[in-house]
Amino acid sequence: FTDGGEGTFGANAGLPTVALGLLAPLTAKWVDVGMISHADFWTLAANIAIEEMGGPKIKTRFGRKDAKSSKESVESQVGRLPDGDKGKEHLEEIFKPKGFDHRDIVALSGAHTVGSCHLDRSGFDGPWTENPL
């Protein structure tokens, strides 16, 4: 949703302008006709992207239900997503209460080394690593 909830969080700024646009033709073909939920579709797309980048093949489990409106979303991004300019302790503060261990945090954070940062989406510019994928 772009009218409220997580779709409007600054940390998700690239989703409506980039990711959703790239997926739009497939969304129209599979989601809009009720074959698959948005949540399952995004999970499937992420799993395929991981495999395409040389990662493992991940079995997608289907059955997620989509919210009916942004009113079913969380009201605030406070404590949900980490700030990009903070270190390990901040990542632990955000993710340990959600049940993440160090391995989970490294995997999730490592995914952000794919590609580059965009000033208009994250407030950061350029690659996170010397050799971005």
Side-chain angles (χ1 to χ4, degrees):
F1 303 105
T2 57
D3 65 324
E6 291 180 90
T8 62
F9 292 176
N12 290 330
L15 293 178
T17 58
V18 179
L20 296 180
L22 292 170
L23 294 172
L26 295 172
T27 299
K29 184 175 182 177
W30 301 104
V31 178
D32 293 348
V33 298
M35 296 286 292
I36 185 173
S37 69
H38 278 102
D40 280 345
F41 180 63
W42 294 334
T43 301
L44 176 62
N47 290 347
I48 291 170
I50 289 167
E51 185 177 352
E52 285 296 311
M53 290 184 288
K57 182 175 180 75
I58 301 170
K59 180 180 178 184
T60 303
R61 292 184 172 88
F62 297 95
R64 293 166 192 80
K65 304 282 185 202
D66 290 331
K68 292 181 180 34
S69 78
S70 62
K71 291 182 186 268
E72 295 181 43
S73 183
V74 296
E75 294 178 11
S76 169
Q77 68 183 22
V78 174
R80 295 192 55 81
L81 299 170
D83 298 324
D85 61 348
K86 297 199 171 87
K88 173 178 117 21
E89 291 79 17
H90 179 64
L91 291 172
E92 290 173 341
E93 288 172 15
I94 298 295
F95 292 117
K96 286 221 171 196
K98 296 171 178 55
F100 286 63
D101 62 20
H102 284 120
R103 181 181 171 149
D104 299 328
I105 295 170
V106 168
L108 182 60
S109 299
H112 287 80
T113 65
V114 175
S116 296
C117 307
H118 300 274
L119 196 58
D120 62 326
R121 298 177 213 151
S122 66
F124 297 95
D125 191 35
W128 283 106
T129 65
E130 291 180 20
N131 296 308
L133 296 175

